[in-house]
Amino acid sequence: MRASREVIEDLRRRIDRFHGGSPSRKSLPFGIAPIDRHLPAKGLALGALHEVIEHGPAAEFAGTATLFTAGILARLKGPVLWCLTRRDLFAPGLMQVGLHPNRVIFVETHRDADVLPLIEEGLHEKGLGAVVGEVTKLGLTASRRLQLAAEASGVTALLIRRWWTLAQKDLTHLPTAALTRWRITPAVSESMPADGLGRARWQVGLMRCRGAEPCSWIVEACDAQGRLALPSDLAHGPHPAQVRKPAAG
């Protein structure tokens, strides 16, 4: 059995090198053991491209994916370049998950097509902590360019996939060159004596990851330092916080 695991790990390293990656890639741990153990880099791989997709009721207007992304940024060092086309980003909400607006450079365009070139330009700036882009369309060619740019500079790219129609939503299911694809869904919080007192919960779905199978976990939402938490009532189960393997998407 041990020999089989060694063969699998060697195969993963070879596949990673084939895709231009590195077995010693730096990562940002989530601090949730079941998630970090599942990821090949033992956390979110840095210097790479990642996608985050909102899921659930009224997902086109919800902000769970944005808060999940902002929580990651809060735990990275350096300024953040945030590229967007709509003025609906709520700065106090970013502060609640640890991302101070003073760290964020906002770049607004009028067309979705202009966002990707801005992201790529930002990825060439090694002084940035990360680059965020809110986009609807993302093809293989464009995503490969962003992945290569992130690898070359070491700057992490996080793309929040947004849509406003069902046709646009279907575009988020198409394949890209992103290292991971996450789907964030609001989950039912722990019952409390009074409404509004419990910490929000999310279902964090890993839809695609190079070197790992899809999986999904229930976690408590980011705190004021951008950290997720394992719900206390789920922490002692046989597979803490894990729910199901999400359908491909």
Side-chain angles (χ1 to χ4, degrees), residues 167-208:
Q168 290 177 338
K169 183 178 179 180
D170 290 340
L171 296 176
T172 65
H173 301 301
L174 298 177
T176 70
L179 200 65
T180 64
R181 174 181 288 174
W182 300 85
R183 188 174 70 186
I184 315 302
T185 311
V188 178
S189 300
E190 182 181 7
S191 298
M192 300 294 288
D195 293 337
L197 296 180
R199 185 171 172 179
R201 290 186 181 184
W202 299 337
Q203 182 172 327
V204 174
L206 180 64
M207 312 307 297
R208 177 184 178 276

Side-chain angles (χ1 to χ4, degrees), residues 49 116 138-148 159 175-178:
L49 174 67
L116 293 178
L138 181 65
L140 276 172
T141 300
S143 60
R144 284 194 188 103
R145 290 177 62 94
L146 297 181
Q147 173 64 22
L148 290 174
L159 296 188
T176 70

Side-chain angles (χ1 to χ4, degrees), residues 66 82 84 86-92 94 104 106 134 160 162:
T66 299
W82 199 303
L84 69 169
R86 292 175 178 263
R87 297 183 180 181
D88 58 357
L89 193 61
F90 190 53
L94 302 183
V104 184
F106 297 100
E134 300 182 11
I160 301 174
R162 303 197 67 179

Side-chain angles (χ1 to χ4, degrees), residues 33-76:
I35 299 179
D36 291 334
R37 284 197 302 263
H38 189 79
L39 294 168
K42 307 307 177 186
L44 189 78
L46 302 179
L49 174 67
H50 305 277
E51 291 179 83
V52 185
I53 302 172
E54 185 84 29
H55 187 65
E60 63 270 33
F61 303 110
T64 304
T66 299
L67 294 176
F68 175 80
T69 301
I72 293 171
L73 301 172
R75 295 181 292 116
L76 291 174

Side-chain angles (χ1 to χ4, degrees), residues 91-161:
L94 302 183
M95 290 186 64
Q96 288 183 354
V97 295
L99 180 61
H100 198 285
N102 288 345
R103 290 185 52 206
V104 184
I105 304 168
F106 297 100
V107 180
E108 182 183 353
T109 72
H110 297 291
R111 298 190 310 156
D112 192 77
D114 295 331
V115 174
L116 293 178
L118 289 172
I119 298 171
E120 185 174 356
E121 186 67 24
L123 290 174
H124 293 305
E125 297 295 330
K126 296 184 178 180
L128 291 175
V131 178
V132 181
E134 300 182 11
V135 297
T136 299
K137 297 180 181 179
L138 181 65
L140 276 172
T141 300
S143 60
R144 284 194 188 103
R145 290 177 62 94
L146 297 181
Q147 173 64 22
L148 290 174
E151 288 180 352
S153 65
V155 178
T156 304
L158 294 159
L159 296 188
I160 301 174
R161 305 296 302 277

